[in-house]
């Protein structure tokens, strides 16, 4: 746990307003990952070809629009997976791995993020570690991402929905569009 906690400063030093899309991972089926250089984000189906569009939510019985596309900090993924190998990051099960401050303070619900020609909106639905996360990264990683600090930093990632469909590519710049007040 101390090694994981020691890496939090690196996660906290992520860019705040503009970041980079580091990895795209499509999940065509349970336990399968496809690393892509380019993907389409669609307002109805999320990341095109990803199992989200046909996997029912336990809560609603249908795909949950609040969890359409998940983003995880590439820095947090490297921390829990023990390195900078994107194949290891993809085991977390998220679709987009980004170098951007995903904290609740930086990206409250309603914030929009431009990536490539697409726009995502941060939803209120929390994204927490589960049994699969423990199997892949261990109990300490799960405790850290689900801790008060971990939830505030969104170490496990965050849920978004597609509000403008478009194409995203590895290396694209992410731009934060603040919530209108």
């Amino acid at each position: 746990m101390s090694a994981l906690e020691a890496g939090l400063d690196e996660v906290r030093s992520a860019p705040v307003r503009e970041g980079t899309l580091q990895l795209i991972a499509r999940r065509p089926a349970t336990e399968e990952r496809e690393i892509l250089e380019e993907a389409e984000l669609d307002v109805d189906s999320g990341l095109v070809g990803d199992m989200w569009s046909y996997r029912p939510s336990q809560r609603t019985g249908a795909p949950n629009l609040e969890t359409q596309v998940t983003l995880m900090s590439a820095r947090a993924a490297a921390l829990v997976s023990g390195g900078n190998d994107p194949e290891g990051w993809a085991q977390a099960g998220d679709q987009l791995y980004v170098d951007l401050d995903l904290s609740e303070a930086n990206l409250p619900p309603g914030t929009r993020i431009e990536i490539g020609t697409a726009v995502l909106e941060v939803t209120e639905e929390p994204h927490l570690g589960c049994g699969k996360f423990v199997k892949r990264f261990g109990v300490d990683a799960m405790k850290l991402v689900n801790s008060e600090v971990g939830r505030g930093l969104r170490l496990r990632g965050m849920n978004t929905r597609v509000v403008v469909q478009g194409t995203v590519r590895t290396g694209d710049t992410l731009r934060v569009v603040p919530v209108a007040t």
Side-chain angles (χ1 to χ4, degrees), residues 1 4 15 24 34 62 67 79 81 96 101 114 119 147 149 169 174 176-177:
M1 181 62 86
L4 290 170
I24 303 167
E34 295 175 345
T67 65
L79 178 64
S81 71
L96 305 179
D101 176 0
E114 299 171 343
V119 179
S147 70
V149 169
R169 293 177 181 84
L174 289 81
V176 174
V177 180

Side-chain angles (χ1 to χ4, degrees), residues 35-114:
I35 305 301
L36 306 173
E37 289 298 315
E38 177 179 299
E40 295 297 319
L41 299 181
D42 181 80
V43 295
D44 294 319
S45 58
L47 192 146
V48 174
D50 187 81
M51 70 180 181
W52 173 87
S53 65
Y54 58 84
R55 190 176 80 186
S57 157
Q58 291 179 350
R59 206 173 65 199
T60 66
N64 181 354
L65 283 175
E66 298 293 299
T67 65
Q68 197 175 43
V69 177
T70 57
L71 278 69
M72 185 172 185
S73 161
R75 294 170 190 232
L79 178 64
V80 299
S81 71
N84 289 317
D85 175 21
E87 296 281 336
W89 303 352
Q91 295 313 304
D94 300 283
Q95 295 116 323
L96 305 179
Y97 295 80
V98 302
D99 190 21
L100 184 70
D101 176 0
L102 300 184
S103 70
E104 290 179 358
N106 190 47
L107 302 174
T111 302
R112 292 191 171 187
I113 303 168
E114 299 171 343

